[in-house]
């Protein structure tokens, strides 16, 4: 079930963030996206009964078990630190606009 849900959300949203509401790295990633006025969808795993199953599948999918897991056009760009670095370098907006 988690696999279908994750795959669907990644496919349907240009920018998809799998997050936990209390996680500072998740906050960093969401802030970086907000600063470039990106449209993105967030799924807060700590507020879902299937959150751990989703996180387990994300780990298999991306090789990283931590949150956030940020996807741009179906590709995982990493977590909070990577998202912030991409935003600061100007590459994040290009990835989202598919200019890169």
């Amino acid at each position: 079930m988690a696999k279908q849900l994750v795959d669907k959300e990644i496919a349907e949203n240009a920018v998809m963030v799998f997050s936990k509401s209390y996680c500072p790295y998740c906050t960093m990633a969401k802030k970086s996206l907000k600063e470039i006025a990106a449209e993105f969808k967030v799924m807060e795993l700590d507020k879902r009964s299937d959150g751990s199953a989703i996180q387990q599948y994300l780990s298999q999918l991306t090789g990283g078990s931590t949150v956030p897991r940020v996807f741009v056009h179906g590709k995982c760009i990493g977590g909070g630190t990577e998202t912030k670095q991409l935003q600061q370098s100007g590459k994040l907006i290009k990835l989202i606009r598919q200019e890169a």
Side-chain angles (χ1 to χ4, degrees):
M1 190 63 223
K3 178 188 185 312
Q4 291 90 332
L5 176 68
V6 168
D7 291 348
K8 179 177 176 286
E9 292 295 345
I10 292 169
E12 289 180 0
N13 296 284
V15 183
M16 183 66 207
V17 181
F18 294 91
S19 170
K20 289 190 177 169
S21 58
Y22 56 82
C23 162
Y25 288 97
C26 298
T27 303
M28 181 196 303
K30 291 180 277 193
K31 184 173 182 275
S32 295
L33 288 162
K34 283 178 187 156
E35 283 175 4
I36 58 168
E39 277 189 42
F40 61 98
K41 182 167 181 188
V42 178
M43 186 180 290
E44 300 292 0
L45 301 184
D46 58 313
K47 298 199 168 157
R48 299 179 57 97
S49 60
D50 57 354
S52 59
I54 291 170
Q55 192 166 355
Q56 215 168 3
Y57 174 63
L58 286 168
S59 176
Q60 292 170 6
L61 188 65
T62 66
S65 60
T66 57
V67 289
R69 294 281 102 197
V70 182
F71 290 82
V72 177
H73 299 295
K75 181 178 178 286
C76 182
I77 61 166
T81 307
E82 294 85 357
T83 303
K84 184 174 182 173
Q85 286 170 342
L86 283 166
Q87 185 247 332
Q88 288 175 330
S89 71
K91 289 180 182 158
L92 185 58
I93 190 79
K94 288 181 176 169
L95 281 174
I96 293 168
R97 290 181 181 160
Q98 294 185 311
E99 294 170 5

